[in-house]
């Protein structure tokens, strides 16, 4: 019944404006590998077990039906003890990843203690560069979430609820920082 959890959190991500259309991915670790949405399936349209697929920890022909981000999710699971991953496309986090060098530093009183800094990693979607960079950030166990420059966030955790909370916090802190920086520039120009 893990597909129901993926469906529930997919709908929550879409309703929160953290994903749109076919963008974003959710996976959970299984005994044999991971369960992830199928390619072309929208996160807010998962209606049955047929909308997700279980793949192993090694690449296989089943990967052709799985999300294009399967390699990134697999790499994170192999390098960490994460039980769930949410990859979203939060707009303000993406904008901040283009404006900031190396990391996003939350300014709000919730973001900094909850997230610390938010690393920004480079690499094209599904590329070896991306999952090598994700592993280098996640494997020491210091971070709960990162932002792939210009692409979206990745959150890891013990369950999808925790990943959703991290994703929403990344977006909240990025939004606060964006508006603070805009207001500061306007104030300094007067």
């Amino acid at each position: 019944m893990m597909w129901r959890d993926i469906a529930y959190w997919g709908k929550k991500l879409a309703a929160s404006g953290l994903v749109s259309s076919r963008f974003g991915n959710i996976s959970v670790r299984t005994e044999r590998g991971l369960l992830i949405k199928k390619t072309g399936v929208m996160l807010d349209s998962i209606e049955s077990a047929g909308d997700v697929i279980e793949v192993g920890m090694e690449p296989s022909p089943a990967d052709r039906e799985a999300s294009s981000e399967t390699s990134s999710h697999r790499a994170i699971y192999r390098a960490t003890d994460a039980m769930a991953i949410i990859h979203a496309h939060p707009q303000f986090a993406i904008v901040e990843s283009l404006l900031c060098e190396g990391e996003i530093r939350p300014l709000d009183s919730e973001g900094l203690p909850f997230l610390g800094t938010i690393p920004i990693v480079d690499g094209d979607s599904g590329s070896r560069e991306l999952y090598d960079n994700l592993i280098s950030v996640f494997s020491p166990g210091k971070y709960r979430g990162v932002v792939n420059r210009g692409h979206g966030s990745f959150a890891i955790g013990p369950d999808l609820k925790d990943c959703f909370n991290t994703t929403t916090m990344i977006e909240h802190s990025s939004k606060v920082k964006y508006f603070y920086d805009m207001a500061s520039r306007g104030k300094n120009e007067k």
Side-chain angles (χ1 to χ4, degrees):
M1 294 299 204
M2 285 191 270
W3 75 265
R4 291 185 193 278
D5 286 341
I6 292 173
Y8 174 81
W9 292 106
K11 286 175 178 50
K12 294 263 302 176
L13 285 167
S16 300
L18 297 167
V19 296
S20 62
S21 185
R22 288 178 169 75
F23 301 134
N25 286 286
I26 294 176
S27 69
V28 292
R29 187 189 293 261
T30 65
E31 287 183 18
R32 294 184 300 261
L34 62 130
L35 191 65
I36 193 164
K37 78 172 187 70
K38 287 185 173 179
T39 188
V41 173
M42 293 182 251
L43 280 176
D44 62 347
S45 297
I46 297 170
E47 299 295 332
S48 73
D51 292 329
V52 298
I53 186 167
E54 185 174 23
V55 296
M57 285 299 183
E58 297 297 327
S60 76
D63 291 0
R64 287 191 293 267
E65 290 184 62
S67 161
S68 62
E69 288 292 347
T70 298
S71 296
S72 298
H73 287 239
R74 182 183 284 133
I76 293 167
Y77 285 125
R78 289 172 69 174
T80 71
D81 61 357
M83 296 302 291
I85 300 170
I86 288 181
H87 166 56
H89 290 245
Q91 295 173 359
F92 283 91
I94 292 169
V95 169
E96 285 299 310
S97 78
L98 296 169
L99 295 172
C100 298
E101 293 294 324
E103 66 184 19
I104 301 166
R105 183 165 176 77
L107 303 173
D108 57 298
S109 63
E110 295 87 13
L112 196 54
F114 183 80
L115 297 169
T117 57
I118 306 161
I120 300 168
V121 298
D122 291 308
D124 293 334
S125 178
S127 72
R128 175 86 187 188
E129 178 188 11
L130 174 59
Y131 59 81
D132 284 347
N133 289 334
L134 289 168
I135 290 168
S136 71
V137 170
F138 281 133
S139 62
K142 182 178 177 184
Y143 297 102
R144 302 166 73 149
V146 304
V147 180
N148 177 211
R149 189 180 311 279
H151 179 72
S153 63
F154 286 84
I156 65 171
D159 55 41
L160 291 173
K161 179 180 180 181
D162 187 77
C163 294
F164 180 81
N165 289 338
T166 299
T167 302
T168 58
M169 198 74 231
I170 288 170
E171 179 67 346
H172 173 78
S173 292
S174 295
K175 189 174 187 178
V176 168
K177 182 179 182 328
Y178 178 81
F179 284 124
Y180 174 83
D181 290 346
M182 289 283 291
S184 294
R185 276 193 292 276
K187 188 176 179 181
N188 292 335
E189 292 173 2
K190 290 182 181 180

